[in-house]
């Protein structure tokens, strides 16, 4: 172990330090802070000193907080809706654009990928104008096509759908590129031998592409699920979790106990309770990831 | 045979039709923002033509002057640049050391980094960070904002680590025999060789910082003069502009979009390949 | 080589920018920083500040910083770790009451002259402007809620007077919507994008004027009681579930609502009395004929009084290094009777101090709109527990405004939901008292018609 000289040890230490400080301060410390405050009732200066209340925050969360459970349900609906639509769509796009030496294919890819480079917040603002009930461009187009009443895109019944659509808009290109990378890793010989057997394109996809894509697909799905659970920026800008919490998700719900979602919102800051909510939220994501990993392993074993 | 071929074309036509629809839907919101930024408010709210009748360049002038966007644009450039620079430096230093050298607690460090990738308490983490910075009087400074935006770089550290592992170890050893110090090996040998991945990290960090909303919003809450374009644009939604001046809002949105769009036009290949490099290696 | 030169130049340039960004101004004078939430009157206020900065002989420079967003959050953080010298109190008393107990504000009795004390003698109200007998500020202007209506629409459908009761409100709205919705005109609207913001400016006043509880709190009982809200919820539920109200109110903010009203698309809505006249004069100029009226009350209720909310009060914080100079400056500028009178005359607000109001002219834009002035039923009410300290009433689950808004949209059964709300608020209130964060409030014999007695 002692093959480094003192000066070398110093160098190693010095080179690690900048990142290590950032890591401890910006990743580890906040989590520990949260862990401490889950046992307290504390809301900032106005609440006085933090009051130790044991597990009362969890009692409240699990027995007396319908909003959290609504947010939990919404989070699953959002994730299922977004992932369920964006994965097939992006897979389809990747299949279509997985061609070499076709003119313009690069341009098509780059265009579909473009939303990925846009700010979710700024585009949330643009979508807010587009989906506006009264003056929005989308309703105007629909009404000119013969729709009688404007669609209440941001109302309590449709807001979740709108938010999912925007989530898909922002994610499609991303997953398409992942799929493309996966597709390009499939040996071409497999297709060639299949062609000799006179296999049609659907069969090709089903018997060759999908099985060969298995590991990549698994990774993409997991990425998509985890990201969908934590998407809050566009929801925050577009609907602020409303109306009547129709688009409130768990991470946004935790956020509002610390910071106001919008200037008008008056939620009393509750750091202890908010810490409990965010901890449970991160456990939910962790649990979903683990369940997903176990399930996908089981599937492997079946085959 | 001929008819069969025609018949088998139909799914093709439908498929390309779907791609076409996806393309239009992808591009539409961006075009709406860019073209809308040149319309009058009446054109926007009453609807009608796709193109502005007479391009209203004054919208931009108004956004720059009335909404103080010039200042925010400079902030965006400065903050994104420094965040990019510090990200590349810190992640490459750590990634290199982790890939090449042994030290006490290295295994622990790597597993802790890996674990933190999966523990996400979301933006809630910004509260303790802000409190901490305030205790030391560091909040409301450019440096603090840049460092918080840089973050702990976990994914990038692992990216660099994977990339450095791909560099033949003989190169290091030869340099060491020549009397190079550890830092010199990093600087002279490794850095030039891992330039592609550093470029990817730089590009993605720049984009993330430029586009960031929540972190910048919270970190600049009590010091508006540090705010970036993205935050300022979104905040327009809560101002009087939201009601009657959509054209100014879209001019603001376009100001935030255009620079990344231009960057993207020149670097889309790197963006796309960078994404897969990250996905496969990370 | 050339490449690296390019990078060096770029880095130097950006560094130079970075240095230039924070250090734009050099400091010489005693800077008094004021945080304010009020952007609407900025063009009026700025010249006064400029004039004061140029003419005062004490070397004081007033710096006004506007926080339209995150104001409350910024104050909370500032109170904990340092912030401005002076805070311009918005129409939310919690900015004062939440932090005064922590010693964040400096009492002003020590600086006031006898004349000052005489002029503001009616403004020492425990929990609102004073704490433990010490005075901290006085509100200069006041606001309350009014029904805003479009006279042209009323004329077209043959309605003579604005509604005075909830059932009249619903009927009037129904008539307008039935006759004119084909043109995109609807009877009623509310800015339910933020239910709190919408109901705070309408429901609270309506309930008070009907003799009901104040923000859910019954002063006579010393407890929360939401049962009286039932008629209100029913009336609003009718309007918002039967297609009477403007479509899309769930995502409507106040300013878009105002532009729609200015465009003649909305028959009625309820909003702040201080804001609307100015809004339609300058922000969203309109040709329509519009006016204001007292908010309607619950059918069969006896008209009591509605609370008046004072704002534009100036709180000196403990971060102020020279509080005496700060007091001097705010007295000279913002507490100056001439300034306050001019403020009213500019149509920006209604003077609160009756002594100063005597000398204030009625602004031109309130001609024929006298309903926006303070009337006999507009009275200062005592503060309810959650106003005094929101941390003392930590309600588990949804707050009253969001709960009631969900009811209005037709979600849930009204009576049981309101009963549950009562239980949750009282539990939170009691808990706050037990923990020593809040204090019990009970005013036996409280009369909503004379809340200040």
């Amino acid at each position: 172990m002692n093959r480094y000289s003192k000066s070398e040890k110093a160098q190693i230490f010095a080179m690690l330090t900048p990142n290590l400080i950032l890591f401890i301060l910006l990743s580890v410390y906040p989590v520990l802070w949260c862990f401490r405050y889950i046992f307290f009732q504390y809301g900032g200066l106005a609440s006085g000193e933090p009051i130790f209340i044991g597990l009362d925050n969890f009692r409240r969360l699990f027995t007396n907080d319908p909003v959290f459970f609504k947010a939990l349900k919404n989070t699953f609906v959002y994730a299922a809706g977004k992932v369920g639509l964006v994965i097939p769509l992006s897979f389809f796009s990747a299949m279509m654009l997985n061609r070499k030496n076709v003119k313009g294919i690069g341009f098509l890819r780059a265009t579909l990928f473009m939303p990925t480079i846009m700010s979710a917040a700024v585009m949330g603002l643009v979508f807010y104008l587009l989906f506006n009930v009264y003056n929005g461009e989308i309703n105007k187009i629909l009404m000119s096509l013969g729709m009688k009443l404007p669609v209440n895109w941001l109302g309590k019944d449709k807001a979740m759908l709108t938010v999912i659509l925007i989530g898909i808009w922002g994610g499609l290109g991303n997953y398409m590129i992942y799929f493309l990378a996966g597709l390009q890793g499939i040996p071409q010989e497999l297709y060639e031998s299949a062609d000799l057997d006179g296999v049609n394109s659907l069969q090709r996809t089903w018997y060759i592409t999908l099985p060969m894509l298995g590991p990549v697909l698994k990774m993409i799905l997991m990425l998509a699920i985890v990201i969908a659970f934590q998407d809050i920026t566009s929801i925050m800008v577009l609907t602020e979790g409303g109306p009547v919490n129709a688009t409130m998700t768990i991470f946004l719900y935790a956020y509002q106990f610390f910071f106001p979602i919008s200037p008008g919102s008056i939620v009393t800051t509750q750091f202890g309770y908010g810490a409990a909510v965010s901890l449970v939220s991160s456990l939910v994501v962790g649990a979903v990831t683990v369940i997903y990993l176990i399930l996908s392993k089981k599937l492997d074993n079946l085959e | 045979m001929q008819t069969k071929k025609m018949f088998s074309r139909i799914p093709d036509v439908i498929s390309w039709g779907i791609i076409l629809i996806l393309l239009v839907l992808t591009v539409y919101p961006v075009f709406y923002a860019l073209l809308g930024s040149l319309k009058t408010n009446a054109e926007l709210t009453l609807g009608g033509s796709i193109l502005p009748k007479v391009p209203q360049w004054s919208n931009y002038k108004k956004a720059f002057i009335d909404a103080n966007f010039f200042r925010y644009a400079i902030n965006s450039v400065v903050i994104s640049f420094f965040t990019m620079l510090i990200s590349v430096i810190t992640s490459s230093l750590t990634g290199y050391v982790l890939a090449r050298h042994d030290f006490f607690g290295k295994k622990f460090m790597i597993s802790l980094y890996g674990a933190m990738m999966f523990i996400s308490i979301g933006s809630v983490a910004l509260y303790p960070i802000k409190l901490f910075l305030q205790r030391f009087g560091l909040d409301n400074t450019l440096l603090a904002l840049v460092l918080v935006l840089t973050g702990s770089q976990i994914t990038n550290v692992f990216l660099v680590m994977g990339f450095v592992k791909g560099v033949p170890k003989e190169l290091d050893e030869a340099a060491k025999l020549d009397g190079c110090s550890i830092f010199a090996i990093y600087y002279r040998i490794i850095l030039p060789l891992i330039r592609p991945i550093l470029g990817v990290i730089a590009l993605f960090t720049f984009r993330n910082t430029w586009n960031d909303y929540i972190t910048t919003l919270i970190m600049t809450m009590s010091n508006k003069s540090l705010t970036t374009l993205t935050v300022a644009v979104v905040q327009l939604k809560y101002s009087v502009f939201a009601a009657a001046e959509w054209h100014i809002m879209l001019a603001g949105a376009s100001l935030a979009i255009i620079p990344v769009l231009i960057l993207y036009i020149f670097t889309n290949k790197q963006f796309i390949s960078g994404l897969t490099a990250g996905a496969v290696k990370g | 080589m050339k490449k690296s030169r390019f990078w060096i130049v770029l880095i130097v340039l950006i560094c130079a920018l970075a240095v230039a960004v924070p250090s734009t101004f050099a400091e010489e004078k005693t800077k008094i920083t004021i945080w304010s939430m009020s952007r609407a009157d900025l063009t009026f206020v700025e010249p006064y500040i400029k004039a004061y900065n140029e003419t005062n002989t004490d070397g004081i420079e007033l710096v006004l910083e506007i926080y339209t967003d995150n104001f409350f959050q910024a104050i909370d953080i500032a109170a904990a770790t340092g912030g401005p010298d002076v805070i311009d109190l918005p129409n939310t008393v919690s900015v004062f009451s939440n932090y005064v107990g922590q010693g964040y504000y400096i009492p002003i009795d020590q600086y006031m002259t006898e004349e000052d004390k005489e002029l503001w003698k009616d403004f020492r109200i425990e929990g609102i402007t004073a704490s433990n007998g010490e005075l901290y500020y006085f509100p200069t202007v006041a606001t309350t809620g009014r029904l805003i209506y479009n006279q042209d629409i009323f004329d077209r459908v043959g309605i003579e007077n604005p509604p005075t009761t909830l059932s009249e409100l619903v009927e009037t709205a129904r008539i307008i919507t039935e006759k004119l919705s084909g043109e995109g005109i609807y009877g009623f609207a509310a800015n339910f994008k933020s239910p709190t913001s919408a109901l705070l400016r309408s429901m609270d006043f309506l309930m008070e004027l009907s003799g009901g509880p104040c923000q859910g709190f019954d002063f006579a009982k010393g407890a929360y009681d939401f049962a009286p809200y039932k008629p209100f919820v029913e009336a609003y539920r009718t309007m918002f579930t039967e297609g009477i109200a403007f479509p899309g109110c769930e995502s409507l903010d106040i300013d878009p609502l105002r532009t729609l009203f200015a465009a003649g698309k909305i028959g009625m809505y309820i909003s702040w009395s201080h804001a609307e006249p100015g809004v339609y004069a300058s922000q969203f100029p309109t040709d329509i004929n519009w006016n204001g009226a007292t908010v309607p009350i619950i059918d069969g209720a006896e008209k009591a009084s509605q609370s008046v909310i004072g704002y534009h009060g100036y709180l000196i914080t403990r971060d102020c290094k020279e509080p005496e100079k700060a007091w001097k400056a705010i007295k000279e500028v913002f507490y100056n009777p001439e300034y306050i009178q001019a403020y009213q005359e500019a149509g920006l607000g209604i003077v609160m101090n009756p002594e100063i109001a005597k000398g204030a002219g009625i602004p031109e834009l309130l001609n024929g709109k006298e309903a926006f002035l303070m009337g006999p039923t507009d009275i200062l009410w005592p503060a309810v527990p959650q106003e005094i300290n929101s941390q003392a009433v930590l309600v588990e689950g949804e707050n009253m405004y969001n709960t009631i808004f969900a009811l209005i949209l037709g979600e849930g059964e009204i009576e049981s939901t309101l009963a549950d709300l009562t239980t949750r608020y009282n539990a939170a209130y009691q808990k706050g008292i037990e923990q020593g964060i809040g204090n019990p409030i009970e005013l036996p014999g409280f009369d909503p018609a004379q809340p200040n007695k």
Side-chain angles (χ1 to χ4, degrees), chain C residues 16-33:
Chain C
L17 268 178
V19 173
V21 167
S23 61
T24 330
F25 305 101
E27 289 194 35
E28 302 152 5
K29 292 181 161 180
T30 310
K31 246 194 200 173
I32 306 282
T33 316

Side-chain angles (χ1 to χ4, degrees), chain C residues 338 340-349 351 359-365:
Chain C
E338 281 169 31
I340 301 171
Q341 286 160 355
Y343 193 86
Q344 171 170 318
E345 281 156 19
L348 294 165
V351 177
I362 292 172
E364 207 175 311
L365 55 93

Side-chain angles (χ1 to χ4, degrees), chain C residues 36 40 69 118 141 145 150 204 209 214 242 246 270-271 293 301 317 334 358 422 444:
Chain C
S36 172
D69 34 79
E118 179 59 26
V141 282
N150 181 328
D204 283 351
L209 199 60
C214 177
E242 293 179 15
F246 195 83
I270 299 176
S271 189
T317 74
F334 303 113
K358 278 180 200 160
T422 307

Side-chain angles (χ1 to χ4, degrees), chain C residues 42-64:
Chain C
L42 194 60
T43 43
F44 174 83
V45 180
E46 267 177 340
Y48 281 89
I49 292 179
K50 203 172 161 230
Y52 180 77
N53 286 344
E54 280 166 8
T55 55
N56 82 80
T57 51
D58 301 292
I60 299 170
E61 189 192 341
L62 287 176
V63 181
L64 185 65

Side-chain angles (χ1 to χ4, degrees), chain C residues 165-183:
Chain C
T165 65
L166 271 174
S167 61
E168 282 177 37
L169 176 76
V170 176
E171 273 324 294
T172 311
R174 193 196 298 277
I175 292 169
I176 296 172
T177 301
E178 270 170 12
K179 292 195 178 164
L180 301 176
S181 61
E183 302 171 32

Side-chain angles (χ1 to χ4, degrees), chain C residues 88-102:
Chain C
D88 173 3
L89 185 88
N91 54 7
T92 313
V93 76
S94 65
V95 170
F96 165 69
S97 51
N98 274 358
Y99 307 110
V100 69
Q102 276 73 41

